[in-house]
Structures are given as structure tokens and as C-alpha cells.
Amino acid sequence: MTFDYRSSVSIGELCIYSSALIIGIFLAARPGFGRNWGWFYLILFCLARIIGPAMQLSTLHGSPRASIYEGYAILNNVAISPLELVILGTLNRLLDSIHKTYNTFLRTFMLQIIQVVVVLGLILGVVGGVRAGNSFEEGNASGQHVFHPGPLGKAGSILLISCYVAIVIITALLSIFKSHLEAGETRLLLAVVLSLPFLLVRLIYTGFSTFSYNPKFNILDGDTTIFLCVALIEELIIVIIFEVTWLTLRRQVKEQHNKARRQIDSSNGSDPTQPKRGKSTGQIALGFAKATIFGHLVMLFVNRSHARSGVEMQARRA
């Protein structure tokens, strides 16, 4: 095969999602992000968007196996599920934040049920894609690259579409209680709301590629411009929304930590507005003395003298 338009798009995916993967790992490793298990799925999505284009580019050399096309098609079809899991992870964090100050009728197990359905849709998409590879091999022998998901693949897509509807409902209900969110968490809700329209467009493309026999939506040799504008760009916008939001959220978390620390300092009697001074000469000398044997003996004698003075003072008061 020759280098074509789709191969150029694949190279762009490799470059962009390699950077997104590094940012995702960096953010997931930072303190304060452990409550959002959705980052694990964002990293998986970036990996899928790296492995898939790599498979497509590998078809340019020699006579590629049908399994390469099959893997590329499966990764494109099921890539929507990690994005839904990212949103569910963010909604889970928002729900925990609300429940710290206000008890709602929404419960974590509701999100967990949706998560299980998304994972089930992912499994059905993979199994259905593997079974659809048999019909692809026959088409490949005739020189055509055609991939039509079977009943299991279609069932997986239906589950993912149904989960999107459930995510929209949960997001709308959480928005009612947004006034009870912790400071800085509102931007996470905004990130979810902004990502939902792009996720809807991506699901529309999934629906056409799964249930339609229109060659323009063929996941392998379909119209590359449609694939780029209706699927890939939407996915990238969602990733950018969440990564940028979490970068700014980290700054907000740090500011809250500093504010809490200042409040603790002020409650201890120190002035938080005054800059911290360096150690005095006496403190430095005292620290040096404690580090020597002679210093330990002197400090032991001083401590005993203070203890005797305290006992004498208590005896006089009695």
C-alpha cells in the first residue's frame, strides 16, 4: 500500500496522543488525584489511540495480516467506552464532593451500574469485532477492506449509546446540587457538560459505522475526512477539556492547601501575613550543640534543672 490521506491522519494521532498520554500519566501521578479513578481509563484511551494508528501504518509495508485490520477496526469501535468511563469517574468524584455537605438521593452504586454496563459494551464490542474478522478475511481476499460488526458488536454499541443517555441524566441531576460542591470542583462539572455534545457526535459516527452499510462510514476504508471531523476531532477535544481542567484544578487544590495552612498558623498565634524568618543564631547554635555528645550532656543538665525548678514551684504553691 502507498502512503495516503489516512496514513497522514494516523501519524497525527501518534504525535498528539503520545503527548496526551504523558500529560495523563503526569496528572494521575500527582497527589490529590487519587479520588478520580477515571484517569486510568483516559490513559487506556490514549494507548488505544496510539496502538490503532500504529496498526494502520503497519499495513503500508508488505502484505499485512487480516488480524492487523481487525485490531485497528476494533480499537476504533470500542474507543468510545474509555471516554464514557472517564466521565463516570469524574461524576463519581463530584458526587462524593456533594455528599460531604449535603445528602442527595443519588448514590455511588448508580454510577457503578452504568460503569458495569459500559465495560460489558466494551467486551461485546471486542468479541463481536473478533467474530466479524472472519467475514473481513473473505472480503480481503477479493481486494476490499470491509468490516461490518456482527450482532455482538451491534449489541455493544447499543449499550454504549444507552449509557450515554444515563450519563446525561446523572449530569443533569448533579447540576441541581452544584451549589454544594467543594471549591474548585465546579469546573469538573463544567468539563463534563462541555464534553457531552462532542461525545454525542462521536456516538453518531459509531452508530453509522455499526448499523449502516454506507461505504463512507466504513471504519477501514471509509471517507477519511468524515472520520477525522466526526470522530477523531471530537475525541481529541474531550481529552483536551479534561486534561486542561485538571491542570487548572491542581493549582486550585494547592491554593486551598496554602489557605488551610495559613488558617492553622493563625490559630496557633502566628501571623500568617508575615513572612517566615530564618533561624536565629541562637537556634542554629542550639541545634549544633544537640548534635554533639557534649551538647547532649549540657541539655540533659538543663532539662533536669528545669524539672527541679518546676517541682519547687509546685511545692511553694501547695
Side-chain angles (χ1 to χ4, degrees):
M1 295 183 63
T2 58
F3 191 85
D4 54 5
Y5 182 17
R6 178 156 293 210
S7 300
S8 302
V9 172
S10 297
I11 292 177
E13 287 185 80
L14 287 174
C15 297
I16 293 174
Y17 282 104
S18 296
S19 302
L21 177 63
I22 295 174
I23 296 174
I25 295 175
F26 169 76
L27 288 173
R30 296 295 295 273
F33 287 86
R35 288 191 296 166
N36 186 6
W37 41 261
W39 276 108
F40 173 74
Y41 300 108
L42 181 63
I43 293 174
L44 285 182
F45 173 78
C46 292
L47 288 174
R49 276 289 166 254
I50 292 174
I51 297 174
M55 287 183 171
Q56 193 276 329
L57 291 174
S58 66
T59 61
L60 301 178
H61 305 283
S63 299
R65 298 180 180 179
S67 58
I68 300 295
Y69 293 101
E70 177 185 323
Y72 174 64
I74 292 175
L75 288 174
N76 280 328
N77 271 338
V78 303
I80 195 70
S81 53
L83 292 179
E84 290 188 343
L85 292 172
V86 170
I87 296 177
L88 286 171
T90 305
L91 292 176
N92 184 75
R93 170 168 177 153
L94 292 172
L95 185 59
D96 289 342
S97 177
I98 293 174
H99 282 170
K100 287 183 178 180
T101 57
Y102 187 81
N103 189 21
T104 69
F105 61 90
L106 297 173
R107 292 294 180 264
T108 304
F109 77 88
M110 299 178 182
L111 297 175
Q112 293 174 345
I113 292 175
I114 302 175
Q115 179 192 10
V116 171
V117 177
V118 172
V119 174
L120 180 60
L122 172 63
I123 295 173
L124 290 177
V126 172
V127 176
V130 171
R131 293 189 176 182
N134 297 328
S135 60
F136 167 77
E137 291 178 4
E138 296 176 359
N140 190 33
S142 62
Q144 299 177 353
H145 300 149
V146 180
F147 185 88
H148 293 299
L152 291 179
K154 294 179 179 180
S157 297
I158 292 174
L159 290 180
L160 295 180
I161 295 173
S162 302
C163 289
Y164 174 82
V165 176
I167 289 173
V168 172
I169 295 175
I170 295 292
T171 302
L173 294 175
L174 279 177
S175 300
I176 300 175
F177 308 103
K178 65 179 181 179
S179 60
H180 300 281
L181 287 170
E182 296 174 283
E185 297 289 308
T186 307
R187 68 188 68 185
L188 286 177
L189 179 61
L190 179 62
V192 172
V193 173
L194 291 177
S195 65
L196 289 178
F198 298 101
L199 185 60
L200 175 62
V201 176
R202 178 61 179 88
L203 279 171
I204 292 174
Y205 181 86
T206 298
F208 276 103
S209 63
T210 302
F211 300 99
S212 173
Y213 288 91
N214 190 333
K216 291 184 177 181
F217 292 92
N218 179 23
I219 202 67
L220 293 177
D221 286 343
D223 192 301
T224 304
T225 301
I226 294 178
F227 179 57
L228 175 64
C229 297
V230 186
L232 298 183
I233 292 180
E234 280 69 21
E235 294 174 352
L236 179 60
I237 291 175
I238 294 173
V239 172
I240 292 175
I241 287 174
F242 279 101
E243 290 196 342
V244 170
T245 301
W246 277 91
L247 284 171
T248 58
L249 186 67
R250 174 60 190 170
R251 187 178 299 110
Q252 178 70 18
V253 171
K254 186 175 181 180
E255 291 174 357
Q256 292 176 3
H257 175 73
N258 292 335
K259 182 178 180 181
R261 186 173 181 178
R262 289 194 297 268
Q263 292 176 352
I264 294 174
D265 291 340
S266 61
S267 63
N268 291 335
S270 60
D271 188 1
T273 60
Q274 296 295 330
K276 293 185 178 180
R277 297 179 180 178
K279 292 184 178 180
S280 63
T281 305
Q283 291 176 335
I284 296 175
L286 182 61
F288 178 76
K290 289 181 179 180
T292 63
I293 297 176
F294 180 75
H296 279 291
L297 294 175
V298 173
M299 293 305 300
L300 179 62
F301 176 77
V302 173
N303 291 334
R304 286 183 178 179
S305 298
H306 283 297
R308 290 177 182 176
S309 299
V311 172
E312 291 177 357
M313 290 293 293
Q314 291 179 357
R316 291 177 182 177
R317 292 176 180 177

